[in-house]
Amino acid sequence: MTPGQIALIIIAVAVLLLVLFIGLFLVRLTRTLGVITRDFDIIAREANDIMANANTLLNDVNGKVATIDPAFQAVADLGTSVSELNAATHDLTGKVKKTASSRGASVASAVTAVNGFRKARKSQASSSK
């Protein structure tokens, strides 16, 4: 065998080994991609189930919220009415206080006048004796 033939055999064996390793790599890669694809399909189905359950739950919650909305509106209206009643009571109390203080001042001046009149009568009565 000539050195060229030996080099050709070595190259042929090297190419054969390279083809075998590439073949094994591709087989393993194909299996791995198959497993990944299968797992991805399972995950996608589970995600679809979760989304369907979430949509069902959301529809249920929306229905229940729609049911209790009138109750919250009634509570809000009651709060507004109580606030208005509180403001009206506050205004009425202020008016009563003003009226009482103005009448109290009138009563006080009347009492002062009556007391002055009494003192004047007493002093006249004392001086006429």
Short mmCIF file of all heavy atoms in Angstrom, two decimals, residues 33-75:
data_model
loop_
_atom_site.label_atom_id
_atom_site.label_comp_id
_atom_site.label_asym_id
_atom_site.label_seq_id
_atom_site.Cartn_x
_atom_site.Cartn_y
_atom_site.Cartn_z
N LEU A 33 -36.12 16.52 21.10
CA LEU A 33 -37.15 17.42 20.57
C LEU A 33 -38.53 16.78 20.67
O LEU A 33 -39.53 17.49 20.90
CB LEU A 33 -36.83 17.79 19.13
CG LEU A 33 -35.66 18.77 18.96
CD1 LEU A 33 -35.38 19.00 17.48
CD2 LEU A 33 -35.93 20.08 19.65
N GLY A 34 -38.60 15.47 20.50
CA GLY A 34 -39.89 14.77 20.65
C GLY A 34 -40.40 14.89 22.08
O GLY A 34 -41.59 15.16 22.30
N VAL A 35 -39.51 14.72 23.06
CA VAL A 35 -39.91 14.85 24.46
C VAL A 35 -40.32 16.28 24.77
O VAL A 35 -41.34 16.53 25.44
CB VAL A 35 -38.75 14.39 25.39
CG1 VAL A 35 -39.03 14.76 26.83
CG2 VAL A 35 -38.50 12.90 25.25
N ILE A 36 -39.55 17.23 24.26
CA ILE A 36 -39.87 18.64 24.50
C ILE A 36 -41.21 18.99 23.86
O ILE A 36 -42.04 19.68 24.47
CB ILE A 36 -38.75 19.55 23.96
CG1 ILE A 36 -37.50 19.40 24.83
CG2 ILE A 36 -39.20 21.01 23.91
CD1 ILE A 36 -36.28 20.11 24.29
N THR A 37 -41.46 18.51 22.66
CA THR A 37 -42.72 18.78 21.98
C THR A 37 -43.89 18.18 22.76
O THR A 37 -44.92 18.83 22.94
CB THR A 37 -42.68 18.21 20.55
OG1 THR A 37 -41.58 18.77 19.85
CG2 THR A 37 -43.97 18.51 19.81
N ARG A 38 -43.72 16.97 23.23
CA ARG A 38 -44.78 16.30 24.00
C ARG A 38 -45.05 17.07 25.31
O ARG A 38 -46.19 17.31 25.67
CB ARG A 38 -44.36 14.86 24.29
CG ARG A 38 -45.47 13.98 24.78
CD ARG A 38 -45.10 12.49 24.85
NE ARG A 38 -43.79 12.27 25.48
CZ ARG A 38 -42.74 11.72 24.87
NH1 ARG A 38 -42.85 11.31 23.62
NH2 ARG A 38 -41.61 11.54 25.51
N ASP A 39 -43.97 17.47 25.99
CA ASP A 39 -44.14 18.23 27.23
C ASP A 39 -44.80 19.59 26.97
O ASP A 39 -45.65 20.02 27.74
CB ASP A 39 -42.78 18.44 27.92
CG ASP A 39 -42.22 17.16 28.51
OD1 ASP A 39 -42.98 16.18 28.63
OD2 ASP A 39 -41.02 17.15 28.85
N PHE A 40 -44.40 20.21 25.88
CA PHE A 40 -45.00 21.49 25.53
C PHE A 40 -46.49 21.33 25.24
O PHE A 40 -47.29 22.18 25.65
CB PHE A 40 -44.28 22.11 24.34
CG PHE A 40 -44.76 23.49 24.00
CD1 PHE A 40 -44.37 24.58 24.77
CD2 PHE A 40 -45.63 23.70 22.94
CE1 PHE A 40 -44.82 25.85 24.48
CE2 PHE A 40 -46.09 24.97 22.64
CZ PHE A 40 -45.69 26.05 23.41
N ASP A 41 -46.86 20.27 24.56
CA ASP A 41 -48.29 20.02 24.29
C ASP A 41 -49.06 19.81 25.59
O ASP A 41 -50.18 20.33 25.74
CB ASP A 41 -48.44 18.80 23.38
CG ASP A 41 -48.02 19.06 21.95
OD1 ASP A 41 -47.92 20.26 21.57
OD2 ASP A 41 -47.77 18.09 21.20
N ILE A 42 -48.46 19.07 26.52
CA ILE A 42 -49.12 18.85 27.81
C ILE A 42 -49.29 20.17 28.56
O ILE A 42 -50.35 20.47 29.10
CB ILE A 42 -48.32 17.83 28.66
CG1 ILE A 42 -48.41 16.44 28.02
CG2 ILE A 42 -48.82 17.80 30.10
CD1 ILE A 42 -47.46 15.42 28.64
N ILE A 43 -48.23 20.97 28.55
CA ILE A 43 -48.29 22.28 29.23
C ILE A 43 -49.34 23.17 28.56
O ILE A 43 -50.10 23.87 29.26
CB ILE A 43 -46.90 22.95 29.23
CG1 ILE A 43 -45.96 22.19 30.15
CG2 ILE A 43 -47.00 24.41 29.65
CD1 ILE A 43 -44.52 22.63 30.04
N ALA A 44 -49.41 23.14 27.24
CA ALA A 44 -50.39 23.97 26.52
C ALA A 44 -51.81 23.53 26.87
O ALA A 44 -52.69 24.38 27.08
CB ALA A 44 -50.15 23.87 25.02
N ARG A 45 -52.06 22.21 26.95
CA ARG A 45 -53.39 21.72 27.32
C ARG A 45 -53.74 22.14 28.75
O ARG A 45 -54.87 22.56 29.02
CB ARG A 45 -53.47 20.20 27.18
CG ARG A 45 -53.88 19.79 25.77
CD ARG A 45 -54.14 18.29 25.67
NE ARG A 45 -52.96 17.75 25.00
CZ ARG A 45 -52.18 16.78 25.45
NH1 ARG A 45 -52.46 16.18 26.58
NH2 ARG A 45 -51.14 16.37 24.78
N GLU A 46 -52.78 22.01 29.65
CA GLU A 46 -53.02 22.42 31.04
C GLU A 46 -53.30 23.92 31.13
O GLU A 46 -54.17 24.35 31.88
CB GLU A 46 -51.82 22.05 31.93
CG GLU A 46 -51.63 20.56 32.13
CD GLU A 46 -52.77 19.92 32.89
OE1 GLU A 46 -53.32 20.57 33.82
OE2 GLU A 46 -53.13 18.78 32.56
N ALA A 47 -52.56 24.69 30.35
CA ALA A 47 -52.79 26.15 30.33
C ALA A 47 -54.18 26.46 29.80
O ALA A 47 -54.86 27.36 30.33
CB ALA A 47 -51.72 26.84 29.50
N ASN A 48 -54.63 25.74 28.80
CA ASN A 48 -55.98 25.94 28.28
C ASN A 48 -57.02 25.60 29.34
O ASN A 48 -58.03 26.30 29.48
CB ASN A 48 -56.21 25.10 27.02
CG ASN A 48 -55.52 25.69 25.80
OD1 ASN A 48 -55.25 26.88 25.76
ND2 ASN A 48 -55.25 24.85 24.83
N ASP A 49 -56.80 24.51 30.08
CA ASP A 49 -57.72 24.14 31.15
C ASP A 49 -57.75 25.22 32.23
O ASP A 49 -58.82 25.58 32.74
CB ASP A 49 -57.33 22.79 31.77
CG ASP A 49 -57.55 21.62 30.83
OD1 ASP A 49 -58.28 21.79 29.83
OD2 ASP A 49 -56.99 20.53 31.09
N ILE A 50 -56.58 25.72 32.58
CA ILE A 50 -56.50 26.77 33.61
C ILE A 50 -57.22 28.03 33.12
O ILE A 50 -57.96 28.67 33.89
CB ILE A 50 -55.03 27.06 33.97
CG1 ILE A 50 -54.46 25.88 34.75
CG2 ILE A 50 -54.92 28.34 34.78
CD1 ILE A 50 -52.96 25.97 34.97
N MET A 51 -57.01 28.39 31.87
CA MET A 51 -57.69 29.58 31.34
C MET A 51 -59.20 29.39 31.31
O MET A 51 -59.95 30.32 31.61
CB MET A 51 -57.17 29.89 29.93
CG MET A 51 -55.74 30.38 29.89
SD MET A 51 -55.50 31.88 30.84
CE MET A 51 -56.36 33.04 29.83
N ALA A 52 -59.66 28.19 30.95
CA ALA A 52 -61.10 27.93 30.94
C ALA A 52 -61.66 28.04 32.36
O ALA A 52 -62.73 28.63 32.57
CB ALA A 52 -61.38 26.54 30.36
N ASN A 53 -60.95 27.47 33.34
CA ASN A 53 -61.40 27.57 34.73
C ASN A 53 -61.38 29.02 35.21
O ASN A 53 -62.27 29.45 35.94
CB ASN A 53 -60.53 26.70 35.64
CG ASN A 53 -60.78 25.23 35.44
OD1 ASN A 53 -61.82 24.82 34.95
ND2 ASN A 53 -59.80 24.41 35.79
N ALA A 54 -60.36 29.77 34.81
CA ALA A 54 -60.28 31.19 35.20
C ALA A 54 -61.44 31.97 34.59
O ALA A 54 -62.03 32.84 35.26
CB ALA A 54 -58.94 31.77 34.77
N ASN A 55 -61.78 31.69 33.35
CA ASN A 55 -62.91 32.38 32.71
C ASN A 55 -64.22 32.04 33.41
O ASN A 55 -65.06 32.91 33.63
CB ASN A 55 -62.99 32.02 31.23
CG ASN A 55 -61.93 32.72 30.41
OD1 ASN A 55 -61.41 33.75 30.80
ND2 ASN A 55 -61.59 32.14 29.28
N THR A 56 -64.39 30.77 33.77
CA THR A 56 -65.60 30.36 34.49
C THR A 56 -65.68 31.07 35.84
O THR A 56 -66.73 31.58 36.22
CB THR A 56 -65.60 28.83 34.69
OG1 THR A 56 -65.50 28.18 33.42
CG2 THR A 56 -66.85 28.37 35.40
N LEU A 57 -64.56 31.09 36.54
CA LEU A 57 -64.52 31.75 37.84
C LEU A 57 -64.80 33.25 37.70
O LEU A 57 -65.55 33.83 38.49
CB LEU A 57 -63.16 31.52 38.50
CG LEU A 57 -62.94 32.17 39.86
CD1 LEU A 57 -63.91 31.59 40.89
CD2 LEU A 57 -61.51 31.97 40.31
N LEU A 58 -64.22 33.88 36.69
CA LEU A 58 -64.43 35.31 36.47
C LEU A 58 -65.89 35.60 36.14
O LEU A 58 -66.46 36.57 36.66
CB LEU A 58 -63.52 35.80 35.34
CG LEU A 58 -63.54 37.29 35.07
CD1 LEU A 58 -63.06 38.05 36.30
CD2 LEU A 58 -62.66 37.61 33.88
N ASN A 59 -66.51 34.77 35.33
CA ASN A 59 -67.93 34.96 35.02
C ASN A 59 -68.78 34.81 36.28
O ASN A 59 -69.74 35.55 36.49
CB ASN A 59 -68.38 33.97 33.95
CG ASN A 59 -67.82 34.31 32.59
OD1 ASN A 59 -67.48 35.46 32.32
ND2 ASN A 59 -67.70 33.32 31.72
N ASP A 60 -68.43 33.84 37.13
CA ASP A 60 -69.15 33.62 38.38
C ASP A 60 -69.01 34.84 39.30
O ASP A 60 -69.99 35.33 39.86
CB ASP A 60 -68.62 32.36 39.07
CG ASP A 60 -69.41 32.02 40.32
OD1 ASP A 60 -70.65 32.12 40.30
OD2 ASP A 60 -68.77 31.65 41.34
N VAL A 61 -67.79 35.33 39.42
CA VAL A 61 -67.55 36.51 40.27
C VAL A 61 -68.29 37.73 39.72
O VAL A 61 -68.90 38.49 40.48
CB VAL A 61 -66.03 36.78 40.40
CG1 VAL A 61 -65.77 38.14 41.02
CG2 VAL A 61 -65.37 35.69 41.21
N ASN A 62 -68.25 37.92 38.41
CA ASN A 62 -68.98 39.06 37.80
C ASN A 62 -70.47 38.96 38.07
O ASN A 62 -71.13 39.98 38.35
CB ASN A 62 -68.71 39.14 36.31
CG ASN A 62 -67.33 39.68 36.00
OD1 ASN A 62 -66.73 40.36 36.80
ND2 ASN A 62 -66.82 39.35 34.83
N GLY A 63 -71.03 37.76 37.99
CA GLY A 63 -72.45 37.57 38.28
C GLY A 63 -72.77 37.90 39.73
O GLY A 63 -73.78 38.56 40.02
N LYS A 64 -71.92 37.47 40.64
CA LYS A 64 -72.16 37.74 42.06
C LYS A 64 -71.98 39.22 42.37
O LYS A 64 -72.71 39.77 43.19
CB LYS A 64 -71.24 36.87 42.92
CG LYS A 64 -71.68 35.41 42.86
CD LYS A 64 -70.78 34.51 43.65
CE LYS A 64 -71.31 33.08 43.51
NZ LYS A 64 -70.44 32.11 44.11
N VAL A 65 -71.01 39.86 41.74
CA VAL A 65 -70.81 41.29 41.95
C VAL A 65 -72.03 42.06 41.43
O VAL A 65 -72.49 43.02 42.07
CB VAL A 65 -69.51 41.78 41.28
CG1 VAL A 65 -69.46 43.28 41.19
CG2 VAL A 65 -68.31 41.26 42.05
N ALA A 66 -72.56 41.64 40.29
CA ALA A 66 -73.75 42.29 39.76
C ALA A 66 -74.93 42.11 40.71
O ALA A 66 -75.78 43.00 40.83
CB ALA A 66 -74.10 41.73 38.38
N THR A 67 -74.97 40.99 41.42
CA THR A 67 -76.05 40.74 42.38
C THR A 67 -75.95 41.66 43.59
O THR A 67 -76.96 42.14 44.08
CB THR A 67 -76.00 39.27 42.85
OG1 THR A 67 -76.11 38.42 41.72
CG2 THR A 67 -77.11 38.96 43.81
N ILE A 68 -74.74 41.93 44.05
CA ILE A 68 -74.60 42.75 45.26
C ILE A 68 -74.41 44.23 44.96
O ILE A 68 -74.36 45.03 45.90
CB ILE A 68 -73.44 42.24 46.15
CG1 ILE A 68 -72.11 42.31 45.42
CG2 ILE A 68 -73.71 40.86 46.65
CD1 ILE A 68 -70.92 42.00 46.30
N ASP A 69 -74.32 44.61 43.71
CA ASP A 69 -74.19 46.03 43.36
C ASP A 69 -75.34 46.88 43.92
O ASP A 69 -75.09 47.96 44.46
CB ASP A 69 -74.10 46.22 41.85
CG ASP A 69 -72.66 46.18 41.35
OD1 ASP A 69 -71.76 46.25 42.20
OD2 ASP A 69 -72.46 46.10 40.13
N PRO A 70 -76.59 46.43 43.83
CA PRO A 70 -77.68 47.24 44.42
C PRO A 70 -77.51 47.45 45.93
O PRO A 70 -77.84 48.51 46.44
CB PRO A 70 -78.95 46.44 44.11
CG PRO A 70 -78.59 45.62 42.91
CD PRO A 70 -77.14 45.30 43.07
N ALA A 71 -76.99 46.44 46.61
CA ALA A 71 -76.78 46.59 48.06
C ALA A 71 -75.75 47.68 48.32
O ALA A 71 -75.93 48.51 49.22
CB ALA A 71 -76.34 45.26 48.66
N PHE A 72 -74.66 47.67 47.57
CA PHE A 72 -73.65 48.72 47.75
C PHE A 72 -74.21 50.08 47.38
O PHE A 72 -73.89 51.08 48.03
CB PHE A 72 -72.40 48.41 46.91
CG PHE A 72 -71.52 47.36 47.51
CD1 PHE A 72 -71.30 46.17 46.83
CD2 PHE A 72 -70.92 47.54 48.74
CE1 PHE A 72 -70.50 45.19 47.38
CE2 PHE A 72 -70.11 46.58 49.29
CZ PHE A 72 -69.90 45.40 48.61
N GLN A 73 -75.05 50.14 46.36
CA GLN A 73 -75.67 51.42 45.98
C GLN A 73 -76.59 51.90 47.10
O GLN A 73 -76.62 53.09 47.42
CB GLN A 73 -76.45 51.27 44.67
CG GLN A 73 -77.01 52.57 44.15
CD GLN A 73 -75.93 53.59 43.86
OE1 GLN A 73 -74.91 53.25 43.29
NE2 GLN A 73 -76.17 54.82 44.23
N ALA A 74 -77.33 50.97 47.71
CA ALA A 74 -78.22 51.35 48.82
C ALA A 74 -77.41 51.86 50.00
O ALA A 74 -77.79 52.85 50.64
CB ALA A 74 -79.07 50.15 49.23
N VAL A 75 -76.29 51.22 50.29
CA VAL A 75 -75.44 51.68 51.39
C VAL A 75 -74.88 53.07 51.08
O VAL A 75 -74.82 53.94 51.95
CB VAL A 75 -74.31 50.66 51.66
CG1 VAL A 75 -73.27 51.23 52.60
CG2 VAL A 75 -74.88 49.37 52.23
#
